[in-house]
Amino acid sequence: MGSGATVVRTAERGAGLPAGRSRGVSQVSAPGSLLTSELPLAVVLVVLVALAGVILGRMYAGGLLPLLVAGAATGSVLVGVLCRRLPSWLVAPLSVLGLAAWTLWSLRLTADRADLPGPLVEIAGEAARNGIPRLLTAMIPVEPTPDTVLVPVVAAWLAGLAASEVTLRAGRVLLGYLPPVLLFAGSVYLVGPNAEPAVGPTLVFVAVAVLGLALPGRGRPAAADRMAGLPPKARAATRIRLVGASTAGTAVVVALAVLLGPALVGVIGGRPVDPRRYVEPPRVDSLDENPLIRISGWALQPEQKLLDVTTLATDEADPAGAVADPAGVGARIRLAVLSDYDGVTWQVGATYRNAGRILPATDTAPGSSVETVRQELTVAELTGRLLPAVATPREVTGARVAYDPVTGTLIHPEGLAPGLRYTVTSARERPEVNLLATAEVPAGAEVARVLRVADGVPESLRQLAEQLSESAGAPYQRAAAVEQFLAEHYRLVPDAPSGHAYPNVEFFLFGPRNAGGQRGTSEQFAAAFAVLGRLVGLPTRVVVGFRPSGDGPVRAGDAYAWPEVLFDGLGWVPFDPLPQPDTEPRPVEEGLRPPPEEPPSPTPEPSTEPPVTPPASGAPVGPADAAGGSPSVLLVGGVAVGAGLALATLLLLTLLCLRRALSRARLTRGSPGERVGGAWREVTDALRLAGQPASGDLAATEVAVAARKVLAQARGADAEPAPVAAVGVTELADLLNRVAFAPGTLTAQQAERAAAIARAYVTALRVARPWWRRLLWPVHPGPLRRDRADRRRRSARA
């Protein structure tokens, strides 16, 4: 140091003060002391904070995030170095200004790279509101977007600020390491099992930290210098304290190594915990979970405009090959892939993760060619969250999306709105048809989901599946046999009711034509193919989408459902079980094997005895007949009638008790949400008993409107208005929607209100029925059967 520093130190010693301290006088440093003391330590802090960005960057796409974190580390530490002469209370505001500038620049850069429109203020507000949940639900690899880089950049800047202040200003190097260590550990925990172990960056972190401790930094004078100006007693006491502190610290380190060492060794080879599993990904409602039920509604309004499609580019792959599209589906637009079937509904069953523009690539089947299709889609009247796209999407611009890589289904978490425009680049696979005849289907736990057959399959479906598979050996032949049978024996109509549960499929396949059987929309054709396919050992799923004739509007009449079968080496192959236009279906009986004929009964040989001539109607009855015939018949008949009446009375009393017990359990037992659901089932059961069952594809509010109309019609135009609670089914529908979308928010008072509405409505509707229907109402077994079926379905799902 210069002479000025020597004079100050001499004055301090003369005053009896420790070296480097004075009352109100700061230590004066030579101009070159910064390069030899503070700058190397500042570089160490920058490297320690930047290594956290290297760890996080392993689960991000590209190398932008590590650069942004390194910039935040450099800026925060540099501000601390440049402001070392200022009071400590002034450093934090200046550093926050630097943080704001660097963060806004980072958000603008990532927004431009992700093609996100909008002003910077709106982008920053959206990122601040949703930064943490979207980071924890984003798909790996995470695309650097404003909401996925905000948290790492801010955390890195704050860690650098705290480390520089504690290390450079207060001279506490080891304590100043705490913020970078916490940031590094948090980064490792956040990455979890989503990347390879970070052995290299961890070793570098430890090495740089040790190097920083070895540097002769400012504010860390040697022990001899610190004790030079102390009296002998004070020096002895200081030495004792230093030795004690060193011994205690060494003992603590050794104890921690002994206690935690075995546990850490056992964890080294284990799989780290993924913190993302504690965060619930985006969810969808029932219509988006099972869009198959929307087919029949769209078929009744074929001119409704749902989308506008413009094909921007198509890269045909292998145009000289065979037509690798057995179902002829072409560039169909896919809405959702339904892989789960519980015997009642087909569902997507997806786990959506927030994704950026670039979606994760999936392996292409070896026996398939790939063509790139790029389309611009504009939403018109399509509702929900499902985002249409040609399979399989690889890049989406213009809309924020969440993606399920297993099914390839996209959603727009904020919901679709008219005018939403986005561009999708897809890689459409086209299987080689020449390999289908000899291709096998996979088996095992990996495909158990698409091979599962739910309990309760009707015996008629099993027999049909067995008959169709007898004449076909290879998997593709079995699939083709099912496809041909459906296409030849059933009629495609737009007005068929929705439904694809086991009873609906059975009625579609075997119901009489004059009663509505053997006819359906693509919903029934696709569902029947998928169920029969699984019964013959084929992994199947149902896809809902559109088949437009070309660019332009996509209307509701273009909605379509088709089945797909998974083949080894070829991937998912679509099939088309729909009949050809203008073809008359063959009778189903022609395609079914007749039941086995019973052996003919032996012909009786002619008797040689003369036939007995029956007595004339007016002939007198013999003594035996008069003695034992008529009285025995009357006695047996009377006993039978009495027993029948007693049995009927007992049955009616049993049904009455069971019905009352069911209603009491629905309305008084369970949580408030369960009681609201029970009240809703009471109302729907009442509609069924009144002969006006609610359709399964109606929303709760639509069912409530229909229920009020049914009650008004039953009471007649001249009747007095029904009680307020009897027409409060709309309020009950709102409570039911809260159970579905905000579970756990209902109170006991709201559950009691729901029960009162249900009782009043059921009473009002029953009173409006004819007298003989009122008598049968409380003993009708229909609600008991439906409750039993519901419990079976819930137990099967569990």
Side-chain angles (χ1 to χ4, degrees):
M1 295 185 179
S3 57
T6 304
V7 172
V8 173
R9 184 176 294 110
T10 304
E12 292 172 346
R13 291 178 179 178
L17 297 175
R21 296 183 182 271
S22 62
R23 295 183 180 89
V25 181
S26 300
Q27 182 178 358
V28 180
S29 301
S33 62
L34 175 64
L35 296 179
T36 59
S37 60
E38 293 182 343
L39 188 57
L41 193 55
V43 172
V44 168
L45 297 179
V46 170
V47 173
L48 293 181
V49 176
L51 283 174
V54 175
I55 296 295
L56 285 176
R58 297 179 307 143
M59 71 174 190
Y60 276 75
L64 180 59
L65 181 77
L67 296 179
L68 295 178
V69 172
T74 304
S76 59
V77 175
L78 184 60
V79 169
V81 172
L82 296 178
C83 299
R84 69 192 185 282
R85 301 295 186 187
L86 300 177
S88 58
W89 60 267
L90 190 58
V91 177
L94 294 177
S95 186
V96 169
L97 291 178
L99 168 62
W102 180 256
T103 303
L104 292 177
W105 182 84
S106 301
L107 297 183
R108 181 75 273 173
L109 175 64
T110 53
D112 292 340
R113 291 200 174 191
D115 292 333
L116 295 180
L120 182 58
V121 175
E122 181 179 343
I123 293 175
E126 175 73 12
R129 288 191 299 270
N130 304 306
I132 294 178
R134 285 183 179 163
L135 177 62
L136 293 176
T137 58
M139 178 170 295
I140 306 297
V142 181
E143 182 181 9
T145 57
D147 49 7
T148 59
V149 304
L150 175 65
V151 174
V153 168
V154 172
W157 188 285
L158 295 179
L161 170 63
S164 62
E165 284 297 295
V166 175
T167 302
L168 301 180
R169 183 179 294 270
R172 306 280 184 173
V173 179
L174 195 58
L175 184 60
Y177 279 177
L178 183 59
V181 168
L182 293 178
L183 181 64
F184 188 88
S187 302
V188 172
Y189 178 73
L190 182 62
V191 173
N194 299 300
E196 296 297 325
V199 178
T202 303
L203 294 178
V204 173
F205 187 92
V206 173
V208 173
V210 172
L211 178 63
L213 292 175
L215 291 175
R218 176 178 178 268
R220 293 181 290 113
D225 294 339
R226 293 199 303 269
M227 293 185 297
L230 296 178
K233 291 184 179 180
R235 286 200 300 270
T238 302
R239 289 193 183 95
I240 293 174
R241 287 197 300 270
L242 291 176
V243 171
S246 301
T247 304
T250 304
V252 170
V253 172
V254 172
L256 290 176
V258 172
L259 295 176
L260 302 180
L264 293 177
V265 171
V267 172
I268 289 177
R271 182 178 178 83
V273 176
D274 191 354
R276 297 149 55 86
R277 70 179 185 178
Y278 302 111
V279 181
E280 186 176 357
R283 301 179 62 183
V284 295
D285 55 22
S286 57
L287 285 180
D288 290 335
E289 185 65 19
N290 179 24
L292 190 59
I293 61 177
R294 307 180 71 176
I295 293 293
S296 59
W298 283 331
L300 296 177
Q301 299 178 345
E303 296 303 319
Q304 181 185 11
K305 183 179 176 182
L306 303 178
L307 298 169
D308 270 312
V309 178
T310 302
T311 301
L312 303 178
T314 301
D315 179 18
E316 295 289 346
D318 194 14
V323 179
D325 203 349
V329 296
R332 299 282 172 86
I333 299 176
R334 191 171 65 182
L335 186 65
V337 176
L338 292 76
S339 303
D340 298 335
Y341 185 59
D342 58 2
V344 179
T345 58
W346 284 91
Q347 297 180 344
V348 178
T351 301
Y352 298 102
R353 292 291 183 184
N354 290 309
R357 291 183 309 162
I358 307 300
L359 302 179
T362 56
D363 296 333
T364 303
S368 300
S369 59
V370 178
E371 64 172 335
T372 301
V373 179
R374 188 164 181 261
Q375 291 183 327
E376 183 181 75
L377 298 94
T378 304
V379 176
E381 298 182 29
L382 183 64
T383 58
R385 296 187 181 185
L386 293 172
L387 204 64
V390 173
T392 301
R394 289 289 178 264
E395 180 179 351
V396 182
T397 58
R400 189 185 303 277
V401 299
Y403 182 61
D404 176 42
V406 177
T407 62
T409 303
L410 286 169
I411 66 169
H412 186 52
E414 290 79 12
L416 305 185
L420 174 65
R421 179 176 299 176
Y422 60 98
T423 302
V424 182
T425 302
S426 303
R428 188 168 72 94
E429 294 189 34
R430 307 184 67 178
E432 178 58 53
V433 294
N434 296 327
L435 302 177
L436 281 173
T438 58
E440 296 294 332
V441 293
E446 295 79 6
V447 293
R449 176 183 183 184
V450 292
L451 279 170
R452 179 178 178 270
V453 178
D455 296 335
V457 181
E459 187 61 29
S460 56
L461 267 68
R462 292 190 182 274
Q463 293 178 359
L464 176 58
E466 180 180 356
Q467 180 176 340
L468 292 176
S469 63
E470 284 180 354
S471 59
Y476 178 71
Q477 294 176 352
R478 298 199 297 270
V482 176
E483 179 187 46
Q484 182 179 0
F485 179 82
L486 295 175
E488 291 181 352
H489 295 87
Y490 300 93
R491 187 186 300 276
L492 179 66
V493 296
D495 59 345
S498 177
H500 47 267
Y502 279 148
N504 302 102
V505 175
E506 184 180 24
F507 182 76
F508 166 70
L509 292 174
F510 306 107
R513 291 188 177 181
N514 56 5
Q518 304 178 34
R519 57 199 298 270
T521 63
S522 61
E523 173 189 357
Q524 284 77 36
F525 280 88
F529 181 101
V531 172
L532 293 173
R534 292 190 179 185
L535 289 175
V536 299
L538 301 176
T540 61
R541 66 185 187 183
V542 176
V543 183
V544 178
F546 309 95
R547 48 177 181 182
S549 56
D551 287 356
V554 177
R555 305 191 183 276
D558 298 324
Y560 173 60
W562 66 89
E564 293 183 347
V565 180
L566 180 61
F567 291 92
D568 278 329
L570 297 175
W572 287 101
V573 177
F575 286 81
D576 191 359
L578 298 184
Q580 295 297 323
D582 302 327
T583 57
E584 188 68 21
R586 295 165 50 192
V588 176
E589 294 75 12
E590 294 183 4
L592 298 178
R593 181 177 59 239
E597 298 180 358
E598 297 182 359
S601 58
T603 304
E605 297 182 358
S607 175
T608 58
E609 298 181 359
V612 178
T613 303
S617 58
V621 181
D625 295 334
S630 297
S632 62
V633 172
L634 293 176
L635 180 60
V636 173
V639 172
V641 172
L645 291 176
L647 183 61
T649 303
L650 180 61
L651 178 61
L652 292 177
L653 291 176
T654 303
L655 289 174
L656 179 63
C657 294
L658 291 177
R659 283 285 309 277
R660 290 186 175 180
L662 176 62
S663 299
R664 188 182 306 109
R666 285 176 171 177
L667 300 179
T668 61
R669 297 179 184 175
S671 63
E674 293 174 343
R675 292 160 61 185
V676 171
W680 183 255
R681 285 191 289 273
E682 287 289 299
V683 172
T684 55
D685 282 344
L687 292 175
R688 290 181 179 272
L689 293 176
Q692 300 289 339
S695 177
D697 57 347
L698 296 179
T701 53
E702 297 173 334
V703 175
V705 173
R708 298 184 63 174
K709 291 182 179 179
V710 170
L711 180 59
Q713 294 173 358
R715 294 173 62 87
D718 299 332
E720 297 180 359
V724 176
V727 296
V729 285
T730 302
E731 180 182 351
L732 179 57
D734 294 336
L735 293 175
L736 184 68
N737 288 330
R738 289 189 59 181
V739 173
F741 299 104
T745 62
L746 294 177
T747 63
Q749 290 78 9
Q750 291 172 324
E752 294 174 359
R753 172 61 178 167
I757 293 174
R759 292 192 186 98
Y761 181 85
V762 172
T763 302
L765 188 58
R766 177 189 173 190
V767 171
R769 307 300 294 164
W771 66 270
W772 60 274
R773 289 187 179 274
R774 291 201 299 269
L775 293 178
L776 295 178
W777 185 289
V779 295
H780 197 287
L784 297 173
R785 290 198 303 266
R786 284 187 290 274
D787 183 75
R788 183 180 181 184
D790 291 340
R791 284 189 280 107
R792 285 182 176 177
R793 284 194 293 268
R794 288 194 294 268
S795 62
R797 292 177 182 175

